[in-house]
Amino acid sequence: MDTTRNTVLEAWMAEHGYSSNSLADAVNRALERLTGRSGGLDGSSIRDWKAGRVQWPKSASRKALEDVTGLPAVALGFVPRGRSSSAPASPQQEDPDMKRRTLVGGIAAAAAAAAAAPGTASPRRIGMSDVDRLQKRFAEIIASDHRHGGQLGIEQRAAALADEALNLQNVGGATQRVRSSLYASAAAFRSSAMWAAIDGRRYDDAKAHMREAQSLAEMSGDQAIKFRIWSHAGTMYRHMGRPVDALAANDVARNLHLTRRDPLFACLGHARQAATLGLTGDATGVQHALGHAKDALERADPGLTRPVWMTGVRDGSELETLALAAHLRLRNFAQAEAHAHRSLTLLRPQMRRDHAINTARLAAAQLGQGDVELAVTTMMKVPADIAAQHARVTRMLREFGTALHATASDSAAVRTWTEHAATWTFTA
């Protein structure tokens, strides 16, 4: 048996600071998320991979490793059975996302090479053009979130890009403005990793990303990214059923002076506070917060340049979405339905995740009013791929099924829904 060492895997582990034992632990955790059972890998298993004694791990272990690294197995030096280790990967096996990650990784690598090149008169200067390249990658992360949301691959890609932004700090000279922008970029990527983990209900991972993002944001001095991180923290605690912590985190975001300078940030802060107050049953508080949010939206200057993640706030869809969530919690089903229809009208077509979530909420509001057949028809509009793969949507579908059986257990609508839901394979 050919036991050529897997130097590609070794290099990846060295670059990302993994020992054999720590990588085994990470893959075992990914296996548990995939299969519901803890993996049985240990340091010797990883050493077998590195030594080439195992050239193509078992399918479950391979998928878990791909989830941890964000790369396909062939890009980590593994060789499918029946193919020589010297044979190149076929075009069909090349992952477009991997190509993008490789390109992004090249930013820091190219900078380091330039800084260390012999004969170079002075270290490479890091400038705003490097920051601009990172910002383009950040826009790609936001676009992926709008389409898919909550996916482990988005979380891992965002975290890797945060590391890339930090690596640029060490490979050349830069002005203070550039260094602050790099810290802001790293914080932005880490906050997207945090959001993907929240959206996927991986709360322990989300809290780890949050702590890193908060430190980076402080070093950047960027008020907008500070607002995003604390606002995400409020959402995380709301989803975890911890309204007191959610309200406190929202207050940190709402008290940043940015919200006084730009009412659009105040709008988002008030709207998220309303969603949390809905969780506490405070109907008066919800009405006041939504009123403040609407006033702030009307006062906001539409011509100001804002971060790409504020798009949904600018067009009003985020306010309608959070009002929907608040009224649904309060069991104000008629008002919730009205906000659901408005949100679905305002949401942009590429925001598939939000369309799915608000369609599910609309169905819940209709069911709450006793419109069983209409609610089932609405819920069946949730796309099957999102229904099966997005943790929040999956939970909403299951809760809907439970409520539907409790409301009309013997109806034809229940049978229709049961047959429809049986066609999905839930993986979230």
Side-chain angles (χ1 to χ4, degrees):
M1 176 181 176
D2 181 5
T3 57
T4 304
R5 289 194 69 81
N6 189 339
T7 56
V8 178
L9 178 63
E10 288 182 315
W12 185 91
M13 290 173 61
E15 180 184 353
H16 292 83
Y18 279 98
S19 66
S20 294
N21 287 334
S22 64
L23 182 58
D25 289 342
V27 174
N28 283 336
R29 288 193 297 271
L31 270 167
E32 186 169 8
R33 285 193 293 267
L34 285 168
T35 66
R37 298 185 300 275
S38 179
L41 299 175
D42 57 18
S44 64
S45 306
I46 307 303
R47 287 189 287 274
D48 285 342
W49 292 358
K50 292 193 297 181
R53 289 188 289 272
V54 174
Q55 296 189 344
W56 193 241
K58 293 180 180 179
S59 59
S61 299
R62 195 169 65 245
K63 179 64 172 65
L65 177 65
E66 290 174 342
D67 285 348
V68 169
T69 63
L71 295 170
V74 291
L76 292 165
F78 292 103
V79 182
R81 293 184 181 88
R83 173 141 55 85
S84 166
S85 61
S86 61
S90 67
Q92 289 83 355
Q93 290 173 309
E94 294 182 2
D95 180 358
D97 285 340
M98 186 195 76
K99 290 181 180 179
R100 280 200 299 273
R101 288 192 292 272
T102 303
L103 175 62
V104 176
I107 295 173
T120 302
S122 60
R124 180 199 189 282
R125 292 290 293 177
I126 307 301
M128 289 307 295
S129 61
D130 298 291
V131 175
D132 290 342
R133 284 194 290 272
L134 287 169
Q135 286 302 309
K136 289 177 182 177
R137 304 288 84 80
F138 182 59
E140 292 176 4
I141 291 289
I142 296 297
S144 293
D145 173 68
H146 286 164
R147 286 194 302 273
H148 310 296
Q151 301 301 308
L152 185 60
I154 296 174
E155 177 189 344
Q156 292 170 335
R157 193 154 68 248
L161 284 164
D163 292 340
E164 296 291 353
L166 289 176
N167 286 341
L168 280 174
Q169 297 276 10
N170 302 318
V171 298
T175 64
Q176 184 57 44
R177 173 179 175 240
V178 170
R179 293 205 180 280
S180 294
S181 297
L182 288 175
Y183 280 124
S185 293
F189 285 125
R190 189 62 69 170
S191 71
S192 283
M194 173 189 175
W195 177 247
I198 293 169
D199 213 20
R201 300 181 61 79
R202 300 181 293 275
Y203 296 128
D204 287 343
D205 293 337
K207 285 184 278 189
H209 291 307
M210 177 182 70
R211 289 189 288 269
E212 181 70 13
Q214 287 167 337
S215 297
L216 293 168
E218 287 300 321
M219 288 189 281
S220 76
D222 187 301
Q223 286 267 306
I225 198 57
K226 287 183 184 180
F227 178 95
R228 188 184 195 219
I229 293 161
W230 281 106
S231 189
H232 281 348
T235 301
M236 176 182 71
Y237 290 127
R238 172 163 57 90
H239 289 330
M240 293 173 70
R242 293 166 54 178
V244 173
D245 292 330
L247 292 170
N250 286 336
D251 281 341
V252 175
R254 295 192 308 141
N255 288 330
L256 292 169
H257 67 73
L258 172 69
T259 61
R260 295 185 288 278
R261 189 171 74 240
D262 186 347
L264 197 65
F265 285 89
C267 170
L268 180 56
H270 289 308
R272 285 192 166 156
Q273 196 78 333
T276 302
L277 289 168
L279 186 63
T280 70
D282 184 353
T284 301
V286 166
Q287 288 300 120
H288 286 163
L290 290 177
H292 289 315
K294 184 178 179 181
D295 290 344
L297 181 62
E298 291 173 351
R299 288 186 287 109
D301 182 352
L304 287 179
T305 300
R306 298 181 177 91
V308 64
W309 50 268
M310 288 288 286
T311 300
V313 188
R314 284 199 302 268
D315 62 23
S317 62
E318 186 73 3
L319 174 54
E320 295 295 339
T321 292
L322 291 164
L324 162 59
H327 283 292
L328 202 56
R329 283 288 186 180
L330 292 173
R331 301 181 67 80
N332 294 335
F333 296 122
Q335 289 170 278
E337 180 177 8
H339 286 294
H341 285 299
R342 285 197 289 271
S343 73
L344 291 168
T345 299
L346 291 169
L347 283 170
R348 301 183 182 204
Q350 63 267 33
M351 301 180 78
R352 297 184 70 239
R353 181 270 317 278
D354 288 348
H355 271 279
I357 288 174
N358 287 358
T359 298
R361 286 171 170 161
L362 172 59
Q366 291 167 337
L367 183 62
Q369 297 174 81
D371 295 331
V372 176
E373 289 79 8
L374 180 58
V376 169
T377 300
T378 298
M379 191 63 93
M380 288 172 65
K381 294 177 182 177
V382 175
D385 60 327
I386 298 179
Q389 297 176 10
H390 191 282
R392 283 172 65 196
V393 178
T394 298
R395 184 184 184 189
M396 294 168 80
L397 293 169
R398 287 171 173 158
E399 289 175 345
F400 176 81
T402 300
L404 181 64
H405 280 85
T407 302
S409 59
D410 296 325
S411 70
V414 170
R415 291 192 292 274
T416 299
W417 172 251
T418 301
E419 291 170 2
H420 180 71
T423 64
W424 294 333
T425 302
F426 293 111
T427 60

